[in-house]
Amino acid sequence: MRTATGFAPVADAFAEVLADTNGGVAFSVVRRGEPLVELYGGLADPATGRRWTADTTAVLFSGTKGLAATVCALLAARGVLDPDAPVRRYWPEFAAAGKDAVTVAQVLSHTAGLPYVENDDVDVLDTRASAAALAGQAPLWEPGTRVAYHALTFGHLVDELVRRTTGRDTAELVATTLNEVPGVDLRLRTPDAQAERMAQIVREPDYRLSTFLTDPVRRRIVERMYRVLTDDPELVNSRAYRTSGSPAGGGVGGAGSMARVYGRLADCRDPLVPAPALAAATRTHAEGTDAVNDRPLRFGLGFELADPIGTYGPVAEAFGHSGAGGGRHGAWPEHELGFSFVTNEMRSEDTDTRAARLLDALHGCL
């Protein structure tokens, strides 16, 4: 574990976070390819007492969406995927049920009106089957008129677009492009040989989803949206989950790898994505109160952006993606740095202050 000169307050904040955890935590910060903070500790498996080490990885949940957004930004930069094009250009079947005008940008910015798969018989981990079901499904509202987080369906839709435009899936492109960044090892399909490095996901007592939401009618919608978390709490620790390839939440990696990806995205000298494409992906495409969850949102093209509740710390401009249970991964472009907080102890959003404390301490060091 280490912190660069001047970043001792981050280590102090991390020690407080670690003392308050029943699982494990890791926090990394990278600027222009150089690690400024590399901290980890606690238990990778509370049941057995296995310790969290420098090599420990964990399920990233929706932190995975930031990797998918990066892949889509790279495809846009190469002219392979046009965010302004209608989805039907690449995926003709998607035009059914009044969706002929839905654009790629609306899919990426969570305004397509398809927050869950209506057919509950479709395997939640079967991305292709789920995408086919969504292609024939009518949107819940006129696309583009409301924003609502597409917790799982974002992955189904994006993966089908990636397949239709490249002939490969998102998992393969993450493995062959993002893992070219030095020090990065991220997987959407984690092989058995790497499973022993993974932390076991645990939940705090009374863990809750969608903590901004009080309406019981929309609560039932949330339960359909988050089937992967609500139907079987142990599914996220299964082989089926870690090999699913889901761009919505199936990613596995460590804080160091995530921070290095976002550090490269924010590196003006050697950006991972060309500046024009990154600027398009990180400007506001959707903003407002989530039509399902009542949470304030601000989206670029797949990336979450700095929002009114300070998800990405005390900065005016930031982008990245958070994950269920407390994960927080992103970039502060003004400072050319990337950061990542990874944990295996899931906590409810309205009570979890761990990442916020670390980001506040980091900002105070800059």
Side-chain angles (χ1 to χ4, degrees):
M1 297 198 294
R2 58 161 295 195
T3 55
T5 301
F7 290 85
V10 179
D12 294 339
F14 185 83
E16 294 176 1
V17 167
L18 182 58
D20 183 38
T21 186
N22 294 312
V25 286
F27 185 59
S28 294
V29 181
V30 173
R31 181 167 60 191
R32 305 187 195 102
E34 294 298 322
L36 301 179
V37 174
E38 290 182 307
L39 300 168
Y40 57 87
L43 299 176
D45 188 346
T48 65
R50 175 164 57 94
R51 306 295 299 179
W52 195 293
T53 71
D55 293 330
T56 298
T57 59
V59 172
L60 299 170
F61 294 107
S62 287
T64 312
K65 292 183 177 72
L67 306 180
T70 302
V71 166
C72 289
L74 285 167
L75 294 180
R78 297 167 185 168
V80 175
L81 182 66
D82 180 0
D84 295 324
V87 173
R88 59 179 166 77
R89 174 187 297 180
Y90 309 110
W91 181 5
E93 300 93 322
F94 186 83
K99 301 192 302 300
D100 57 299
V102 176
T103 66
V104 173
Q106 288 171 342
V107 166
L108 291 172
S109 61
H110 299 259
T111 64
L114 298 165
Y116 60 85
V117 176
E118 289 182 345
N119 184 352
D120 290 335
D121 292 331
V122 176
D123 183 352
V124 70
L125 296 183
D126 190 334
T127 297
R128 300 290 327 255
S130 297
L134 289 167
Q137 188 172 309
L140 294 185
W141 55 80
E142 182 182 347
T145 62
R146 299 182 185 180
V147 58
Y149 187 50
H150 288 43
L152 299 181
T153 56
F154 173 92
H156 307 325
L157 297 169
V158 167
D159 200 50
E160 192 66 22
L161 280 167
V162 170
R163 287 175 182 271
R164 298 282 179 134
T165 53
T166 70
R168 299 184 289 172
D169 64 12
T170 314
E172 183 178 353
L173 292 180
V174 166
T176 58
T177 57
L178 304 193
N179 284 349
E180 291 181 353
V181 176
V184 171
D185 183 10
L186 297 165
R187 308 284 171 179
L188 271 62
R189 289 195 181 89
T190 301
D192 293 345
Q194 295 187 16
E196 62 184 22
R197 299 167 51 197
M198 291 179 60
Q200 290 293 297
I201 302 298
V202 296
R203 302 185 185 195
E204 67 172 354
D206 302 320
Y207 172 71
R208 292 164 292 116
L209 288 163
S210 302
T211 58
F212 286 77
L213 178 61
T214 59
D215 178 29
V217 175
R218 281 181 286 142
R219 174 64 61 180
R220 289 194 287 274
I221 295 176
V222 167
E223 290 169 356
R224 298 186 74 179
M225 287 171 56
Y226 288 97
R227 287 169 54 200
V228 72
L229 292 177
T230 59
D231 286 1
D232 178 4
E234 284 304 309
L235 180 62
V236 295
N237 287 317
S238 70
R239 185 179 188 276
Y241 190 86
R242 66 173 165 81
T243 60
S244 67
S246 169
V252 171
S257 289
M258 292 295 283
R260 282 169 172 79
V261 167
Y262 280 107
R264 275 290 300 278
L265 286 170
D267 189 340
C268 292
R269 302 174 307 171
D270 186 23
L272 179 59
V273 173
L278 185 62
T282 57
R283 69 172 176 84
T284 302
H285 286 262
E287 185 173 15
T289 300
D290 190 309
V292 174
N293 286 291
D294 283 343
R295 185 187 191 276
L297 298 176
R298 185 167 167 244
F299 281 111
L301 296 177
F303 292 111
E304 291 179 332
L305 308 179
D307 58 31
I309 59 174
T311 300
Y312 291 94
V315 297
E317 298 297 330
F319 65 89
H321 216 290
S322 55
R328 199 78 52 85
H329 325 279
W332 290 348
E334 178 183 356
H335 301 285
E336 293 187 80
L337 62 77
F339 59 83
S340 173
F341 173 71
V342 172
T343 181
N344 65 334
E345 184 189 9
M346 300 181 71
R347 294 188 178 181
S348 303
E349 182 179 25
D350 59 341
T351 59
D352 187 5
T353 63
R354 294 171 295 176
R357 282 185 277 171
L358 292 167
L359 293 177
D360 284 346
L362 174 62
H363 188 259
C365 297
L366 298 174

